[in-house]
Amino acid sequence: MEKNIAIAQLAALAQDTRLDIFRALVEYRPKGLPAGNISRLLGLPGATLSFHLSQLKQAGLVSVERQGRSLIYAADTDAVDRLTAFLQENCCSKSGDG
């Protein structure tokens, strides 16, 4: 994983509303949720939700699929697995000094 991708993903998740959205989508994986359901579940106005979903999608943390007239959003847990592996390999490994 490139460092700039890791930074973008960490930044996307380091915001209260986006973290709530991502956590909700993890609960409903792999099917995902329509945007309207996410809005009702978290009590978010449509414009606010749209902004935060866009940020999560841009960071590669959620995917979106059109089903009829609905947009279905799903958490990309593989992306989080890659981010975690990157952090463990590059930031958190023991150096042996103690």
Side-chain angles (χ1 to χ4, degrees), residues 2 5 13 20 36 64:
E2 294 179 28
I5 294 172
L13 292 173
D20 288 345
V64 62

Side-chain angles (χ1 to χ4, degrees), residues 5 13 17-18 30 34 41 48 59 62 73 87 89 93 96:
I5 294 172
L13 292 173
T17 301
R18 287 193 288 272
L41 183 67
T48 300
V62 301
Y73 290 87
L87 292 172
E89 291 169 13
S93 62

Side-chain angles (χ1 to χ4, degrees), residues 54-69:
S54 176
Q55 297 296 307
L56 290 167
K57 185 176 180 298
Q58 186 175 350
L61 295 167
V62 301
S63 62
V64 62
E65 179 184 320
R66 182 169 290 283
Q67 290 182 5
R69 293 176 18 163

Side-chain angles (χ1 to χ4, degrees), residues 20-33:
D20 288 345
I21 293 167
F22 188 79
R23 291 177 67 198
L25 291 174
V26 167
E27 288 182 37
Y28 287 90
R29 70 181 174 159
K31 272 179 40 178
L33 286 171

